[in-house]
Amino acid sequence: MISNVTLVSLGKFDLKLHHLLIIGILSLSFSISFLVRSQAADYGWELNEFDPFFNYRATQYIVDNGINAYFEWNDELSWYPHGRDVSQTSQVVLHVTAAVTYWIFGGGMDLYDFTILFPVVFGSLSTVVIFALVRVIGGTTAGLLSALLFSVSLPLIVRGTIGWFKSEPLGLFLGILALYFLLSGLNSKNTKIAIVKLIAAGITVPLSISAWGGSQFFIIPIGIFFLTLPFVRSDHKFIMWAVPLFTATVFLVSLSFERLSASFTFGLGGASLLIPTIFIVACIFIQSKSNENKKTRNGLLFLAAILIIGASLLIINAESEFLSLPSYRYLNAINPFLTTSIPLVDSVAEHASTTISQSFFFHSILMIFAGLGIWFMIKNQKEKNSNFIKNDLILFSLIFGLIGIYVSSAFVRLEVFASISLIILSSVGLSILVRNVLNNTESKKSKNLIIKSSFLAGIIILLVIPISFPENGSWVTATKSPPTILNGGTAYPVSTNDWTESMEWIKNNTPKDAVIASWWDYGYWISTLGERASIADNSTLNSQIIENLAKMLMSSPDQAWKMLTEMQSDYVVVFVSGQRLAVDNDDQALYVLQGGGDESKKQWFIRIAEESLPKYLESDGMSGTDHFWNETLLGKMFPFTPLAYVNFQTNQQSATYQPGFTPVYVKDIKYPSDSNGPFRLVHASPSFDAEKGQPMIGVFIYQVNKDYVPTK
């Protein structure tokens, strides 16, 4: 065939035409991925979301002070006055990798700009490693299809856009790379190469987990896959040493990380890998001592015994806790039916359960192609003369696919695993389908050409539809939104300087030893951009401190002043988002306040503070009661007061709250800058003076009046 024509010979390697095709498609996949993930740059060149700002500051610390100093660093700007042991509580590999790659490739670029590009580069490079992984499973065609599908997968894109300097892009890159090394090593015919790849896999797994804790979920399908190996592989002597080599490497490397040495090595994650490895060795030994016709039966009986013992130990552990269990969000991913009564956990948006409509939107046509992949794999296994996919790789694909879809049902954030699962299954299914159709020579040549052309056109159309339609809600356009720092994470697709200007004000107008209190959502921005100590931040390391902040906000101003004084806080930041209406009332600016600031989070403050919702909120669960507005610090710090309640559908108005009515507010600063009260408003962000019809992203900074004497 023309694709096998040699173009250039380089030593023993012959560069052929199909190699250029592979390079071309991978380059296209990388380019598409890079462009789609970079759309948010249209709104502004900033880091996106909250965690990236801490990750940037940690990387900056390494660049300025070196890696050794990083491992000794107690961050005094976090969780004042306790501080934070960064290397023990952070994604060490993310920070070190970013610093090292900056030293190598930075080329004089500002580190902030480098970290903005970092997730796009690694997210796009993941198209290459997913190609390598799927190629091992289903061949080159399947690998190339997986690279293209990965480049436009919505859940993968939204957690790896430009500025998303968080854990997932690097963690997924390393996790997929680890799977490639593992499967390639287990299926290598060269012992030396197998050893190198298995050790590489063992090193990469803990690196992936250290970069992103969610990568622990790669361990689940690996562990289950190991349980099947004695029954689907005949080369027992090989896997007797290959699998233990991989597992031993994982544990040895994990011990070098403070965070992993306890939580993974001696926890459920480590057990999920260690027990299957021990099972492989024991099962093969049992099978070797069994009669030929009883090997499988004895192995299955031993597996059943292991599963029963394991389940029993988990039940016992629920009471005695001799085995370190992961945090709630990991347990919830294993058991999506697990519920919690912890408001702090429920208040995090990415912990929301995935709905059916979200799943269909995220994956669309891939669900159908994944079903085809499963069907073809099972069919392939039944056809004994087929060697297209090896039995163990079929099992791994099915295990990984089902596990990925299962764990993603717990959290929206984990839809990335469903995406990878569906991409693997879809790519294999499509490649087999394309192969079967293109190899069909039963019909006449002219008719056959029409059928093949129509088939390929139909496949392309089906894949293009979710990428392009609907016009403002496709996979591509859904990823285009402003960086969080530019709109405060509100519902308004605008780009403002309210938060950046407010953080700059803090840096330039407060003492360097000032302590800033706010809801934990804004802690990383305060410590990174404002360069001041914060009481709590997005790592949520201390739930008791967060609960105290919630209680403080819902307390009376005098009681809140006492609490803030005990916290040694000098300033308090509150965030209010809304929109100025297009009409005014007697020259008074009118506002609606439900945009995604603290006014939209107060129900969580109340729950976390363990207070009664009806005391502070009306029946709609959002509008504040008179008690909220008149008796709580948060209500007093909102520089607005309800003027009336309006039903915008009927234009009816009411002086008091009515179900179905929306509160309309006017400006009302309760603690002006010259106040003798407990607090003074010392800064309001620019959009507090929003024009008619414009959104307001209001950041308000209050100074704690240390000379105030409470009346109670």
Side-chain angles (χ1 to χ4, degrees):
M1 294 178 65
I2 191 171
S3 62
N4 290 319
V5 174
T6 300
L7 301 176
V8 178
S9 293
L10 301 172
K12 295 182 179 180
F13 176 73
D14 294 331
L15 179 65
K16 299 184 178 180
L17 186 61
H18 73 269
H19 292 140
L20 291 181
L21 179 63
I22 293 172
I23 294 171
I25 294 177
L26 289 179
S27 299
L28 177 64
S29 301
F30 180 93
S31 301
I32 292 172
S33 176
F34 198 99
L35 291 173
V36 173
R37 284 165 166 78
S38 299
Q39 291 182 101
D42 291 346
Y43 292 98
W45 189 258
E46 299 285 355
L47 289 172
N48 189 16
E49 229 255 357
F50 304 100
D51 293 9
F53 286 87
F54 170 76
N55 293 330
Y56 158 70
R57 191 160 68 88
T59 305
Q60 183 72 66
Y61 191 89
I62 296 176
V63 171
D64 293 341
N65 301 283
I67 294 177
N68 290 335
Y70 169 83
F71 284 97
E72 301 296 328
W73 180 30
N74 184 69
D75 180 17
E76 296 180 351
L77 296 186
S78 297
W79 298 94
Y80 183 87
H82 312 286
R84 173 181 180 179
D85 186 335
V86 175
S87 63
Q88 192 173 34
T89 60
S90 303
Q91 292 78 20
V92 172
V93 167
L94 174 62
H95 303 155
V96 173
T97 301
V100 171
T101 53
Y102 175 72
W103 285 329
I104 298 172
F105 303 108
M109 179 189 297
D110 184 78
L111 179 63
Y112 188 81
D113 295 335
F114 184 85
T115 55
I116 290 173
L117 282 171
F118 184 91
V120 179
V121 172
F122 273 93
S124 301
L125 285 174
S126 296
T127 59
V128 179
V129 293
I130 194 73
F131 158 76
L133 171 63
V134 178
R135 187 186 190 190
V136 170
I137 297 172
T140 301
T141 302
L144 293 174
L145 286 168
S146 70
L148 289 169
L149 294 176
F150 191 98
S151 68
V152 294
S153 172
L154 181 56
L156 293 166
I157 293 172
V158 296
R159 307 206 72 82
T161 56
I162 194 164
W164 190 273
F165 185 43
K166 291 184 66 172
S167 308
E168 292 94 333
L170 180 61
L172 288 172
F173 172 84
L174 293 172
I176 298 170
L177 183 62
L179 291 180
Y180 161 71
F181 282 137
L182 176 61
L183 294 186
S184 181
L186 289 176
N187 284 276
S188 177
K189 296 180 180 179
N190 186 309
T191 302
K192 293 181 180 179
I193 293 176
I195 291 173
V196 172
K197 288 186 175 180
L198 290 170
I199 292 175
I203 294 172
T204 313
V205 165
L207 292 180
S208 175
I209 298 173
S210 181
W212 179 39
S215 291
Q216 285 204 48
F217 294 114
F218 284 115
I219 297 297
I220 300 174
I222 290 175
I224 297 175
F225 174 59
F226 283 173
L227 294 176
T228 67
L229 287 181
F231 306 104
V232 296
R233 295 279 294 253
S234 57
D235 51 345
H236 285 181
K237 290 183 179 180
F238 171 73
I239 61 175
M240 272 277 283
W241 63 261
V243 173
L245 173 64
F246 163 76
T247 302
T249 307
V250 171
F251 277 88
L252 287 174
V253 176
S254 297
L255 289 173
S256 64
F257 293 96
E258 295 174 80
R259 195 175 184 182
L260 293 186
S261 61
S263 63
F264 173 77
T265 307
F266 302 105
L268 192 58
S272 300
L273 194 58
L274 181 61
I275 292 174
T277 302
I278 295 173
F279 167 79
I280 285 178
V281 176
C283 184
I284 291 176
F285 176 78
I286 290 172
Q287 288 181 329
S288 67
K289 300 299 181 181
S290 303
N291 294 331
E292 190 66 31
N293 59 347
K294 294 182 179 180
K295 284 184 176 181
T296 302
R297 186 204 66 178
N298 292 345
L300 290 174
L301 288 174
F302 180 59
L303 176 60
I306 290 291
L307 294 176
I308 292 172
I309 293 171
S312 302
L313 290 175
L314 287 177
I315 295 172
I316 296 172
N317 186 70
E319 298 181 359
S320 60
E321 297 186 0
F322 63 87
L323 184 67
S324 175
L325 292 178
S327 63
Y328 166 79
R329 62 181 183 270
Y330 294 107
L331 293 176
N332 192 198
I334 298 172
N335 179 11
F337 299 102
L338 187 66
T339 58
T340 178
S341 58
I342 305 174
L344 176 57
V345 174
D346 292 338
S347 68
V348 182
E350 63 188 19
H351 290 171
S353 298
T354 310
T355 64
I356 294 177
S357 60
Q358 284 175 320
S359 292
F360 275 102
F361 176 63
F362 285 151
H363 308 300
S364 186
I365 194 65
L366 293 187
M367 291 183 171
I368 297 175
F369 290 137
L372 283 174
I374 293 173
W375 183 72
F376 279 128
M377 286 181 183
I378 295 174
K379 180 183 177 183
N380 177 79
Q381 191 176 29
K382 290 181 178 179
E383 295 176 358
K384 301 299 183 181
N385 60 343
S386 173
N387 60 359
F388 182 60
I389 305 177
K390 296 180 180 179
N391 287 345
D392 58 332
L393 296 180
I394 290 175
L395 278 173
F396 177 82
S397 301
L398 294 176
I399 290 168
F400 189 88
L402 295 176
I403 292 295
I405 295 169
Y406 175 78
V407 300
S408 69
S409 64
F411 298 142
V412 172
R413 184 179 186 181
L414 297 182
E415 280 294 325
V416 294
F417 288 107
S419 290
I420 296 173
S421 301
L422 292 173
I423 286 170
I424 293 173
L425 295 173
S426 297
S427 302
V428 173
L430 278 172
S431 66
I432 297 175
L433 185 61
V434 169
R435 178 182 297 225
N436 289 343
V437 171
L438 296 184
N439 289 340
N440 181 17
T441 57
E442 293 181 2
S443 55
K444 293 181 180 179
K445 189 173 182 180
S446 58
K447 184 179 178 181
N448 199 30
L449 180 62
I450 295 174
I451 293 174
K452 292 178 180 179
S453 300
S454 301
F455 165 76
L456 293 175
I459 294 295
I460 293 171
I461 291 171
L462 288 175
L463 291 173
V464 167
I465 286 175
I467 299 173
S468 308
F469 299 99
E471 185 176 353
N472 295 316
S474 65
W475 284 356
V476 174
T477 58
T479 64
K480 188 174 182 178
S481 59
T484 308
I485 192 69
L486 298 181
N487 74 342
T490 66
Y492 302 112
V494 296
S495 178
T496 76
N497 69 337
D498 285 87
W499 271 104
T500 54
E501 186 269 350
S502 297
M503 296 300 101
E504 190 70 17
W505 186 93
I506 288 177
K507 184 169 68 173
N508 295 328
N509 295 277
T510 64
K512 289 188 176 181
D513 61 352
V515 179
I516 315 294
S518 72
W519 191 238
W520 61 266
D521 282 358
Y522 322 123
Y524 282 157
W525 291 350
I526 291 169
S527 59
T528 301
L529 300 177
E531 298 182 6
R532 296 296 181 267
S534 60
I535 300 293
D537 59 40
N538 310 68
S539 60
T540 61
L541 293 175
N542 192 319
S543 58
Q544 185 59 55
I545 291 177
I546 294 174
E547 183 178 329
N548 290 340
L549 284 171
K551 289 180 177 179
M552 178 270 297
L553 291 170
M554 305 316 298
S555 297
S556 67
D558 280 7
Q559 181 62 31
W561 181 89
K562 293 177 182 178
M563 296 177 70
L564 286 165
T565 302
E566 292 174 358
M567 295 178 191
Q568 305 177 52
S569 177
D570 301 299
Y571 296 87
V572 183
V573 174
V574 294
F575 174 41
V576 185
S577 178
Q579 186 169 9
R580 182 177 174 180
L581 298 179
V583 295
D584 289 343
N585 178 54
D586 297 330
D587 295 327
Q588 280 187 313
L590 301 179
Y591 298 83
V592 291
L593 305 178
Q594 289 183 3
D598 290 342
E599 83 291 336
S600 300
K601 302 173 185 176
K602 59 184 180 294
Q603 67 272 21
W604 292 113
F605 302 171
I606 298 166
R607 289 190 176 101
I608 292 171
E610 298 180 345
E611 294 284 351
S612 171
L613 287 173
K615 182 178 179 180
Y616 302 92
L617 301 178
E618 301 287 2
S619 58
D620 63 354
M622 291 292 293
S623 302
T625 61
D626 289 342
H627 179 84
F628 170 79
W629 288 106
N630 299 324
E631 303 296 334
T632 70
L633 175 63
L634 188 62
K636 290 283 190 178
M637 282 190 166
F638 287 171
F640 298 93
T641 292
L643 175 67
Y645 296 85
V646 179
N647 187 320
F648 287 104
Q649 294 182 338
T650 63
N651 290 325
Q652 291 178 291
Q653 297 185 22
S654 172
T656 58
Y657 173 78
Q658 300 292 330
F661 283 55
T662 301
V664 175
Y665 302 87
V666 293
K667 287 184 178 180
D668 181 16
I669 300 175
K670 290 95 170 181
Y671 298 121
S673 59
D674 58 355
S675 170
N676 292 322
F679 306 97
R680 300 183 182 120
L681 179 63
V682 292
H683 181 74
S685 64
S687 73
F688 188 40
D689 297 320
E691 297 180 359
K692 291 181 180 180
Q694 296 300 309
M696 180 204 64
I697 313 295
V699 183
F700 303 96
I701 304 172
Y702 288 87
Q703 184 179 28
V704 179
N705 182 3
K706 297 299 178 68
D707 297 325
Y708 177 73
V709 178
T711 58
K712 297 180 182 179

